[in-house]
Amino acid sequence: MDEPPALTWRGSYALLPLEASNGSSLNGDKIILPQSALEQLLSASASQAVMQDKYTTASSHLPNPLTFRLVNPTCNKSVYAGIREFSAPEGTVILSPYLLSALGLATDDEKATTTSANSTVSQIRLEVHTETLPKGTYARLRPLEAGYNPDDWRPLLERQLQRDFTSLTKNAKILVHGVRGEVFQLLVDKLSPEGQGVCVVDTDLEVDIEALDEEQARETLRQFINTNRHENQDGSSKGGPIDIWKPVLGKIAVGSYIDYSLPSWDRNQSVQLTLSNMSDPEALELFVTPKSNLQRALPRKTEYVFSTLGSFESSTTKTIIISPTDAEMKKAESIQISVHAYSDFTATKAADAIQYTLRAQVLVESDKTIAKDQAGNLKEQQENEALCSNCQQLVPKQSLVLHENFCRRNNIVCPKCKLVFKKDSAEFAAHWHCEQDEAYGNTPYSKQKHDEIFHSSWLCSSCAFETNSLPDLAKHRSTVCPGKLILCQFCHLEVPQEGDPFNPSPEVKLSGLTAHELADGARTTECHLCDKIIKLKDMQTHLKHHELDKVGKEKPPVCRNENCGRTRFGVGSRGQVRHSPGADGQQGADIGLCSLCFGPLYVSMHDPNGKALRRRIERRYLTQLMSGCRKSRCSNEWCKTGRSTLGLETKGSSVQSALPLVKPLVETWQNLDSPMHFCVDELSQTGRKLAGQIASKGVWDIEWCIAAAEAENSNANNMRDWLQAWAPRRV
């Protein structure tokens, strides 16, 4: 079919601000034109079709994709764009921020606007005309700032180009928005084919990222080196992977985080994370998040799954125990651990770095047994001890009176928490109890920390959720918050899960997918098994139907010849298995042979009782034993050539010695359960051997393995793929 002619159309439109687009969000290189522009395009297309004497509808000649060249006459700048829709007010055009920047239309142009009845129309007019762009094959982009990590924005760039861009314009600046609010600026430096613009739709575009200059490259390298230093400039340790075999010593500056990860452990046992040997136990907290497809963010005080928050008792250790049955541990790739040092606003001078020891351990049954033994020993000790009525401590019975007298003279007990303090001590003076809950502590810092965590206003940075409890905010941000990062199973990028946290859609609840995955999974693809067009989000269900279809399949009838790697009636690459001969009848079907094995036995004569066929079978066996098939790789034990290949002794070299050997085989020629032993071609013989090897694994029956060998021409890897797709497994 001939290519449609290049569409020629142009128009002049006043620029309308993006706010007037009735809620439509414009990203990438998209524009919105009025309805009259579409009518003019269709008319121009129809006129060109008539000029070429082609009888066709006008709309069929509109290029796909439809690309335009925009020109700003005031500064003579131009850029290429794609169409979003035809819904702008008449005589106006709406541009995306990318196009506004490329045309030099900054926000200071707002002074050149006039107010109409419905919207604010700019006095600047833009020239818009159609232009067909070549398919792009190469693009070179340059970062405009140093320190960009390609791992952060390269997949985002790919997704943004696929979703928002129809074209690329040379020397234009692309803004790549990160999932955490970052913005990466890239300059389009070179395009291929050579020109001012290329089309990026339905093409394989190779993208190279190069530094803007040598100075920028050196600065980027310097920043990477500084990031990877063993210790940060504030004196904090670096963090990184840990294991369950040895503790990690570290120190952390006040107000900062140190991130660790536990990549491997016994997934069937509980994991205990312990923070000990802390130089300031009140300041340090432990935040933990199992990393999975649904949890991608590093643990922070506003977003975590497990933490040590909530315990304000003075303790030298802080512990988190994670059970393997926790829902968040399902499909966890690793355990992300963050140590955080809270700032002390009551301090008069800067605090030194806080030292600590972090240990990850697996709790096994022996640990539980030891704990039970210790509990038993404690019970035995309690039988020889008595409880002090003042401090509630266990003391030996023989010294109980002396202890109580001393305790009442020197100690005082808090009536609420029963903690014991020395009379007139600074600790007792600073001891506090929260009026709103059961928390307590012994320092002004712990009181301030408690009030900040549990009795301060916290607002989610991604939605309108507000609470007075930091753990509630963390639970929100790690569960239903639209800004929670996930690894999308369809686009394979770390993106916000989106959705309405206060009124989630029924489809989100029923499908188990996030709002982003529901939208992204609406794209279609072709099923690799049946070639049907299926939505990505429905593909798993569709493949389960294929699995159910395999359960009731009958085994394919295989050729009776034990050296043959074919079925009796044939198979297809898509799993089609024939269980009976076709309408024309297949030769050899009556005696259980495939058409290729029966071919040498076939003659066109009337043989209702099969006597002639019996003689031909006998003659073929005799020929094999006495003369051989002369095929170099034959491994048939009932063939002279095959026995020589296998290193076996020759038997039946004469008619007299061969007839007694052949007679039992000929007698069973009508018994379909009795094997035959004819020589076959090398491909079929190899297929039979491979089928036997695969069947010996006990996953698939030999009949299906033979069918796979026939369908895939005895290619072992393709045979396994065929079996995975079409063959039922052994029960």
Side-chain angles (χ1 to χ4, degrees):
M1 182 177 179
D2 295 337
E3 290 291 331
L7 183 62
T8 303
W9 171 87
R10 66 175 57 245
S12 178
Y13 295 93
L15 178 63
L16 192 66
L18 184 59
E19 293 77 11
S21 60
N22 297 326
S24 298
S25 60
L26 279 181
N27 298 313
D29 65 343
K30 298 298 188 288
I31 64 173
I32 300 179
L33 288 172
Q35 178 69 27
S36 59
L38 176 60
E39 297 172 357
Q40 294 170 13
L41 286 167
L42 293 175
S43 177
S45 175
S47 300
Q48 290 184 352
V50 171
M51 293 177 61
Q52 292 197 356
D53 295 329
K54 290 189 176 180
Y55 180 75
T56 182
T57 59
S59 60
S60 64
H61 280 288
L62 286 179
N64 184 25
L66 191 60
T67 52
F68 300 88
R69 185 168 182 262
L70 312 181
V71 180
N72 183 2
T74 58
C75 60
N76 204 29
K77 290 186 176 181
S78 64
V79 66
Y80 293 99
I83 187 68
R84 169 67 182 273
E85 57 190 34
F86 295 91
S87 61
E90 289 300 325
T92 63
V93 61
I94 305 175
L95 308 186
S96 66
Y98 159 78
L99 297 175
L100 291 173
S101 174
L103 292 174
L105 300 173
T107 55
D108 55 2
D109 291 328
E110 293 177 355
K111 59 185 179 181
T113 60
T114 58
T115 303
S116 65
N118 298 323
S119 59
T120 302
V121 181
S122 173
Q123 295 179 354
I124 299 176
R125 299 190 68 84
L126 301 178
E127 298 293 333
V128 182
H129 59 87
T130 57
E131 184 165 331
T132 302
L133 295 175
K135 299 289 185 181
T137 58
Y138 173 81
R140 183 173 66 194
L141 307 181
R142 296 186 184 272
L144 294 181
E145 295 181 14
Y148 286 176
N149 186 354
D151 293 338
D152 293 337
W153 51 263
R154 184 181 287 272
L156 297 173
L157 171 64
E158 177 184 351
R159 180 170 180 261
Q160 193 164 314
L161 287 177
Q162 291 178 347
R163 183 185 61 186
D164 299 331
F165 280 82
T166 305
S167 63
L168 283 180
T169 304
K170 189 175 181 180
N171 297 326
K173 297 178 183 178
I174 298 177
L175 300 183
V176 180
H177 296 275
V179 295
R180 297 179 178 88
E182 317 96 318
V183 178
F184 306 101
Q185 300 184 60
L186 303 172
L187 175 68
V188 181
D189 180 60
K190 183 179 179 180
L191 296 172
S192 181
E194 291 289 340
Q196 291 300 311
V198 295
C199 176
V200 296
V201 177
D202 296 332
T203 182
D204 291 329
L205 185 69
E206 179 185 355
V207 179
D208 278 346
I209 311 295
E210 296 183 7
L212 194 61
D213 49 39
E214 292 186 5
E215 182 179 353
Q216 186 191 80
R218 287 194 295 268
E219 175 64 19
T220 299
L221 180 61
R222 186 185 65 81
Q223 292 186 21
F224 286 164
I225 293 175
N226 290 341
T227 303
N228 294 327
R229 285 180 179 174
H230 180 67
E231 290 194 350
N232 299 326
Q233 294 181 356
D234 58 5
S236 298
S237 300
K238 177 186 175 183
I242 63 174
D243 54 47
I244 60 174
W245 308 112
K246 58 182 179 180
V248 176
L249 304 179
K251 56 182 179 178
I252 181 173
V254 173
S256 61
Y257 291 87
I258 298 180
D259 299 315
Y260 299 92
S261 66
L262 181 63
S264 61
W265 70 97
D266 187 349
R267 307 294 174 115
N268 298 320
Q269 302 292 341
S270 298
V271 178
Q272 177 177 289
L273 303 172
T274 305
L275 205 59
S276 60
N277 300 330
M278 297 172 283
S279 57
D280 187 357
E282 287 187 335
L284 292 189
E285 296 293 347
L286 204 57
F287 301 107
V288 177
T289 298
K291 186 176 182 180
S292 63
N293 288 350
L294 296 179
Q295 299 287 350
R296 307 301 292 183
L298 291 172
R300 293 293 181 262
K301 67 179 182 180
T302 58
E303 187 172 1
Y304 60 82
V305 177
F306 307 101
S307 79
T308 55
L309 290 179
S311 176
F312 292 91
E313 299 182 27
S314 57
S315 175
T316 57
T317 62
K318 296 189 177 183
T319 302
I320 295 176
I321 298 178
I322 305 175
S323 171
T325 58
D326 282 324
E328 296 294 341
M329 294 298 291
K330 185 179 181 181
K331 297 182 180 180
E333 305 168 10
S334 62
I335 298 179
Q336 299 183 123
I337 308 163
S338 290
V339 179
H340 176 53
Y342 273 85
S343 300
D344 185 0
F345 297 102
T346 64
T348 57
K349 62 178 182 178
D352 297 331
I354 303 173
Q355 297 181 352
Y356 62 88
T357 300
L358 177 64
R359 179 69 187 269
Q361 292 176 295
V362 172
L363 295 181
V364 294
E365 290 298 327
S366 59
D367 297 330
K368 300 177 182 178
T369 304
I370 293 174
K372 291 180 180 179
D373 294 341
Q374 292 176 347
N377 295 335
L378 181 61
K379 187 175 181 180
E380 293 178 0
Q381 294 175 2
Q382 289 176 351
E383 294 177 355
N384 299 322
E385 295 175 336
L387 194 67
C388 174
S389 59
N390 185 54
C391 66
Q392 303 298 313
Q393 298 293 321
L394 289 173
V395 295
K397 289 183 178 180
Q398 59 270 23
S399 59
L400 177 62
V401 176
L402 292 175
H403 171 82
E404 286 186 342
N405 292 334
F406 177 84
C407 186
R408 292 181 185 278
R409 287 195 307 269
N410 297 280
N411 297 333
I412 187 171
V413 180
C414 176
K416 292 185 177 180
C417 61
K418 305 303 180 183
L419 288 181
V420 181
F421 300 91
K422 288 185 178 181
K423 291 182 178 180
D424 302 326
S425 65
E427 282 188 345
F428 180 67
H431 184 65
W432 59 270
H433 280 267
C434 182
E435 298 178 355
Q436 304 180 49
D437 53 38
E438 298 180 354
Y440 57 88
N442 301 324
T443 61
Y445 169 68
S446 62
K447 179 67 167 67
Q448 179 197 37
K449 180 180 175 183
H450 171 78
D451 290 341
E452 178 189 359
I453 294 174
F454 293 98
H455 306 301
S456 299
S457 178
W458 293 95
L459 181 64
C460 178
S461 59
S462 302
C463 65
F465 179 79
E466 187 175 3
T467 181
N468 62 350
S469 172
L470 184 59
D472 289 346
L473 175 63
K475 182 178 180 180
H476 163 79
R477 289 191 57 82
S478 61
T479 52
V480 298
C481 179
K484 170 189 168 185
L485 291 182
I486 63 166
L487 181 63
C488 177
Q489 58 181 293
F490 303 121
C491 65
H492 308 291
L493 297 175
E494 289 188 3
V495 293
Q497 68 175 353
E498 303 173 1
D500 186 352
F502 308 108
N503 186 24
S505 67
E507 192 174 4
V508 169
K509 292 184 176 181
L510 293 175
S511 65
L513 301 175
T514 64
H516 169 86
E517 289 176 323
L518 282 176
D520 203 31
R523 295 183 290 121
T524 58
T525 187
E526 189 177 84
C527 175
H528 66 285
L529 297 178
C530 62
D531 294 336
K532 289 184 178 179
I533 302 301
I534 307 295
K535 289 183 179 180
L536 291 176
K537 62 183 179 182
D538 298 332
M539 183 58 73
Q540 286 188 350
T541 304
H542 176 75
L543 293 178
K544 288 180 180 178
H545 283 290
H546 282 296
E547 290 296 323
L548 292 175
D549 291 340
K550 293 192 299 185
V551 174
K553 278 189 174 182
E554 296 182 11
K555 296 179 182 179
V558 299
C559 181
R560 184 179 167 187
N561 183 4
E562 68 172 9
N563 298 307
C564 179
R566 299 184 181 90
T567 60
R568 290 170 59 185
F569 308 112
V571 296
S573 59
R574 293 289 182 177
Q576 308 92 330
V577 176
R578 295 178 61 185
H579 292 271
S580 60
D584 54 348
Q586 178 178 309
Q587 298 293 337
D590 294 339
I591 62 172
L593 293 176
C594 66
S595 58
L596 293 180
C597 289
F598 184 76
L601 304 175
Y602 172 76
V603 292
S604 57
M605 62 177 293
H606 183 63
D607 186 21
N609 298 323
K611 294 181 179 180
L613 178 59
R614 175 191 171 102
R615 291 195 297 270
R616 289 194 297 274
I617 293 174
E618 182 181 41
R619 189 181 306 118
R620 185 171 181 186
Y621 276 131
L622 291 174
T623 303
Q624 287 181 178
L625 287 175
M626 292 188 298
S627 303
C629 64
R630 294 182 175 83
K631 296 176 181 177
S632 59
R633 297 192 179 183
C634 177
S635 59
N636 183 7
E637 294 184 4
W638 290 89
C639 172
K640 182 178 181 180
T641 306
R643 296 185 68 84
S644 176
T645 303
L646 297 173
L648 301 177
E649 181 182 355
T650 303
K651 63 178 181 179
S653 56
S654 63
V655 176
Q656 185 177 1
S657 59
L659 275 175
L661 299 174
V662 170
K663 186 175 181 180
L665 300 179
V666 177
E667 293 293 337
T668 60
W669 73 277
Q670 290 181 314
N671 183 5
L672 299 183
D673 295 329
S674 178
M676 289 186 169
H677 309 275
F678 297 138
C679 295
V680 294
D681 59 276
E682 182 181 347
L683 182 65
S684 181
Q685 178 179 271
T686 303
R688 185 63 178 241
K689 291 180 179 179
L690 289 174
Q693 293 174 3
I694 296 176
S696 65
K697 304 294 183 181
V699 181
W700 295 283
D701 292 316
I702 183 65
E703 292 85 355
W704 286 107
C705 296
I706 292 174
E710 180 179 5
E712 299 298 340
N713 293 324
S714 303
N715 184 299
N717 293 330
N718 293 346
M719 286 171 61
R720 291 186 177 89
D721 294 339
W722 191 95
L723 289 167
Q724 290 280 2
W726 305 110
R729 294 173 178 262
R730 286 182 179 175
V731 180

